Amino acid sequence: MMPNQIENLSFEQRHGKDRVRVGRVWRNRDGRHFFVEWSVSISLLSDCVAAYTGDDNSDIVATDTMKNTVYVKAKECAEQLSVEDFAVKLAKHFTSVYQQVTCAIVKIVEKPWERVSVDGETHDHGFKLGSEKHTTEVILKKSGALSVTSGIEGLALLKTTKSGFEGFIRDKYTVLPDTRERILATEITASWRYSYESLFSFPQKPLYFTERYLNVKEVLTDTFFGPSKEGMYSPSVQSTLYHMAKTVLKSFPDIAAIQLKMPNLHFLPVNISNKDHTIVKFEDDVYLPTDEPHGSIQASLSRIWSKM
């Protein structure tokens, strides 16, 4: 947003409501239920400087009103919809109803409730909590200019072989040995920005973004592991990260950019020795799991015309 000039000072402001939690159930006529749990955060860029400088609240959208709006809009969604569609619905409301609001930023984290199976059959109304979370951020300006970013938090992956790390810089502080055999484990945080830049180009297909989220997660996972029998060798986390990001952009033309954060969660080989001899010798079979400290690797990959 453009800063205001006040008393020879530059002033920027926004206000909103964070972590509005909402659960929504949809019931089909055949008795099958669908359920989501969302944590919604709203931030409004608006012309309400007088509230800060002149004790005048007449241009403020109360944050309690924002909270109530989340529940009302969730009720209005008679059909199941993606978290991205709901974020756009909220952003459209705030930018169209309130003259003062020039831009709405809506962030939502979806908890991974998954349908359970009992005796080999999927349950009509039973769910269990999974692991990784589906995230989105929608930025909508009053003009209709749009930015939609989706992502994954907490995608934990591990492979017990086909990973190494060698040929790195060595100096007097280096004790890490070269290896072509190690466990590779990480907990991925991924975010990708779609190429849709206005409400007019935004897909209208129901659950389009839910399907795309599942597709991206599958591509990331499959690329990390490689084929089920032979796998794929990883010479470094950096190399695997780049290959995963490039495969996503190659697979989905409507994704303009992707960012991946992949901490290297270490499994340290265990050797137990005393001053006389080795009691237990490591043979790629016993490890000490540790995530503190851990390697931190992240990168963004964008199409030439795009910026993350």
Side-chain angles (χ1 to χ4, degrees), residues 147-149 191-195 197 254-257 306-308:
S147 173
V148 179
T149 302
S191 60
W192 54 91
R193 186 170 56 78
Y194 290 98
S195 57
E197 296 183 345
D254 61 343
I255 293 179
S306 175
K307 294 182 179 180
M308 189 69 203

Side-chain angles (χ1 to χ4, degrees), residues 105-162:
I105 302 170
V106 180
K107 299 180 181 180
I108 306 179
V109 178
E110 179 173 316
K111 270 196 170 181
W113 289 105
E114 302 169 350
R115 191 178 301 278
V116 300
S117 295
V118 177
D119 296 330
E121 293 187 12
T122 56
H123 204 281
D124 278 351
H125 56 266
F127 300 85
K128 65 180 180 67
L129 191 61
S131 53
E132 63 273 359
K133 298 175 181 178
H134 180 176
T135 65
T136 193
E137 178 185 70
V138 166
I139 303 174
L140 179 64
K141 296 181 179 180
K142 192 177 288 290
S143 64
L146 177 69
S147 173
V148 179
T149 302
S150 296
I152 296 173
E153 290 182 357
L155 178 60
L157 304 178
L158 178 150
K159 59 183 182 180
T160 56
T161 189
K162 295 288 185 177

Side-chain angles (χ1 to χ4, degrees), residues 42-286:
I42 300 162
S43 185
L44 301 184
L45 282 62
S46 61
D47 298 325
C48 60
V49 175
Y52 296 87
T53 62
D55 302 329
D56 179 358
N57 297 334
S58 60
D59 288 327
I60 288 183
V61 181
T63 66
D64 189 69
T65 302
M66 299 181 203
K67 176 202 68 178
N68 294 339
T69 302
V70 171
Y71 298 124
V72 172
K73 293 302 174 183
K75 173 66 175 177
E76 289 178 357
C77 297
E79 301 293 333
Q80 188 183 4
L81 78 168
S82 71
V83 66
E84 289 85 358
D85 285 317
F86 187 64
V88 168
K89 185 179 184 71
L90 285 173
K92 285 172 64 177
H93 171 84
F94 290 114
T95 55
S96 61
V97 169
Y98 301 104
Q99 179 181 355
Q100 298 87 343
V101 175
T102 57
C103 180
I105 302 170
V106 180
K107 299 180 181 180
I108 306 179
V109 178
E110 179 173 316
K111 270 196 170 181
W113 289 105
E114 302 169 350
R115 191 178 301 278
V116 300
S117 295
V118 177
D119 296 330
E121 293 187 12
T122 56
H123 204 281
D124 278 351
H125 56 266
F127 300 85
K128 65 180 180 67
L129 191 61
S131 53
E132 63 273 359
K133 298 175 181 178
H134 180 176
T135 65
T136 193
E137 178 185 70
V138 166
I139 303 174
L140 179 64
K141 296 181 179 180
K142 192 177 288 290
S143 64
L146 177 69
S147 173
V148 179
T149 302
S150 296
I152 296 173
E153 290 182 357
L155 178 60
L157 304 178
L158 178 150
K159 59 183 182 180
T160 56
T161 189
K162 295 288 185 177
S163 172
F165 188 54
E166 54 189 342
F168 46 89
I169 293 173
R170 291 194 169 279
D171 59 29
K172 62 182 180 180
Y173 301 120
T174 304
V175 296
L176 185 70
D178 284 354
T179 183
R180 291 188 61 83
E181 181 60 47
R182 66 173 183 172
I183 287 178
L184 178 59
T186 188
E187 187 172 291
I188 299 168
T189 299
S191 60
W192 54 91
R193 186 170 56 78
Y194 290 98
S195 57
Y196 311 112
E197 296 183 345
S198 73
L199 289 173
F200 304 104
S201 63
F202 190 72
Q204 300 302 310
K205 179 183 176 183
L207 298 177
Y208 174 88
F209 290 100
T210 300
E211 181 180 345
R212 178 63 82 240
Y213 165 80
L214 295 173
N215 290 340
V216 172
K217 183 170 71 169
E218 182 179 29
V219 166
L220 291 172
T221 302
D222 291 354
T223 308
F224 177 88
F225 291 116
S228 58
K229 296 299 183 183
E230 62 269 27
M232 178 177 293
Y233 182 72
S234 170
S236 66
V237 178
Q238 286 85 344
S239 174
T240 297
L241 183 155
Y242 178 76
H243 189 46
M244 292 164 67
K246 186 171 70 170
T247 304
V248 168
L249 291 187
K250 181 179 178 181
S251 302
F252 307 109
D254 61 343
I255 293 179
I258 182 169
Q259 181 183 74
L260 293 175
K261 299 179 181 179
M262 293 176 56
N264 189 3
L265 306 181
H266 303 299
F267 284 74
L268 306 178
V270 172
N271 287 302
I272 301 177
S273 303
N274 59 27
K275 64 180 181 179
D276 298 320
H277 64 284
T278 298
I279 301 171
V280 176
K281 187 177 187 304
F282 174 73
E283 295 176 336
D284 300 324
D285 50 5
V286 179

